[in-house]
Amino acid sequence: QVPLVESGGGLVQAGDSLRLSCAASTRTFSSYNMGWFRQTPGKEREFVAAISWRGSMTYNADFVKSRFTISRDNAKNRLYLQMNSLEPEDTAVYYCAAQIPGGSTSDRDSNQYNSWGQGTQVTVSS
């Protein structure tokens, strides 16, 4: 597994922005497709966005539209999620994840990821 630590969550108002970060403690971070997922109590973990190991391909969940942008800096072993125009429905614990080697960047199934961070709470008030 790849040790991952998320940060950047917090309490914001609707319409505000947040930038989530994910730090990877591995020398081979650039070898992994990465993704962001979110989860609320009583619901399944939900795909948010994914990015290929080079960063050249990205995929967003339909609900994201153009509000969120996933990016990575392999030189710094960092994954990011820029979230704009936040809505109360975005309230959740957000997780970064590393995909099982050999997987497809376009795969939105959480079962295709085998390394997870502890999550960071995002709360959006009306």
Side-chain angles (χ1 to χ4, degrees), residues 20 33 58 72 88 90 111-112:
L20 305 184
N33 297 333
T58 61
R72 67 191 299 165
D90 295 318
N111 292 326
Q112 298 304 309

Side-chain angles (χ1 to χ4, degrees), residues 67-85:
R67 298 185 302 124
F68 298 175
T69 302
I70 188 172
S71 63
R72 67 191 299 165
D73 186 340
N74 288 341
K76 299 180 179 179
N77 291 348
R78 294 292 186 273
L79 177 73
Y80 305 102
L81 183 67
Q82 178 66 47
M83 303 187 294
N84 300 322
S85 301

Side-chain angles (χ1 to χ4, degrees), residues 10-29:
L11 174 62
V12 299
Q13 295 181 332
D16 285 352
S17 298
L18 282 174
R19 190 191 193 196
L20 305 184
S21 297
C22 175
S25 299
T26 178
R27 297 167 56 192
T28 58
F29 171 75

Side-chain angles (χ1 to χ4, degrees), residues 33-38 44-51 57-65 70 97 99-100 103-113 116:
N33 297 333
M34 299 293 295
W36 285 99
F37 291 77
R38 69 185 189 183
E44 295 182 351
R45 191 161 296 185
E46 180 182 31
F47 173 81
V48 177
I51 188 168
M57 294 182 290
T58 61
Y59 301 87
N60 293 335
D62 291 340
F63 73 84
V64 169
K65 298 181 180 178
I70 188 172
Q99 195 174 57
I100 296 173
S104 173
T105 309
S106 62
D107 198 328
R108 304 184 178 191
D109 187 352
S110 63
N111 292 326
Q112 298 304 309
Y113 293 78
W116 298 85

